[in-house]
Amino acid sequence: MDAPPNKDAIQVQQAQLVANAGEELFARVGDVVQAELRGTCEEYKVLCKMNRLAAAKYEEVSHSADRLATQAARVDSKVRELQPYLAQIETIEAQVLELEAMANMLDRYTKGLETKLKEVLTNTH
């Protein structure tokens, strides 16, 4: 007949089972923590890459804005340089309109004189 297991032997077996279960638990928790850390590290790497790309894009935009500001300053300078000439053009345009009005008035007057001359010539013959 088999002897009943010793109480100490049972406690040792239970302690061994608890120890094994504890080791397995810690190993699995460690695996979970490592997986979480790997995921976090990958997210960090992606964020770093996105940050570098964004910084490069902002640098490019900054250079474009600087070039545009320089071009705008040049255009503004040219407009200021041309302003006296634009004023002269407006003055000349006003004078041309006056001359056109005078030419039209002279044309009408000349046609009136022509008509009177024809009448005088017709009446004298």
Side-chain angles (χ1 to χ4, degrees):
M1 210 167 168
D2 290 332
N6 178 336
K7 195 175 188 183
D8 288 335
I10 292 175
Q11 286 179 344
V12 169
Q13 277 184 336
Q14 287 176 344
Q16 187 62 38
L17 287 173
V18 168
N20 289 343
E23 286 178 16
E24 188 175 332
L25 174 68
F26 284 122
R28 289 187 181 186
V29 167
D31 291 344
V32 169
V33 169
Q34 284 182 347
E36 286 291 323
L37 287 175
R38 275 193 299 273
T40 301
C41 285
E42 290 304 314
E43 288 176 4
Y44 177 74
K45 288 176 186 176
V46 168
L47 285 174
C48 285
K49 186 175 182 179
M50 288 173 58
N51 190 33
R52 283 192 301 274
L53 291 172
K57 188 66 174 177
Y58 286 134
E59 185 71 23
E60 182 182 321
V61 168
S62 174
H63 288 308
S64 294
D66 289 344
R67 285 192 302 271
L68 287 174
T70 301
Q71 289 294 340
R74 285 184 192 155
V75 167
D76 187 52
S77 173
K78 293 292 181 185
V79 167
R80 277 187 266 121
E81 287 176 18
L82 292 174
Q83 200 61 44
Y85 299 111
L86 293 173
Q88 288 178 356
I89 289 170
E90 288 175 5
T91 302
I92 291 169
E93 183 181 17
Q95 291 172 348
V96 166
L97 289 174
E98 286 179 31
L99 284 173
E100 282 179 357
M102 283 187 205
N104 287 332
M105 192 170 62
L106 282 173
D107 191 42
R108 284 192 304 271
Y109 182 73
T110 304
K111 285 181 182 178
L113 285 176
E114 252 181 68
T115 305
K116 286 182 185 179
L117 182 61
K118 283 182 184 178
E119 286 175 9
V120 169
L121 289 175
T122 315
N123 288 338
T124 58
H125 288 303

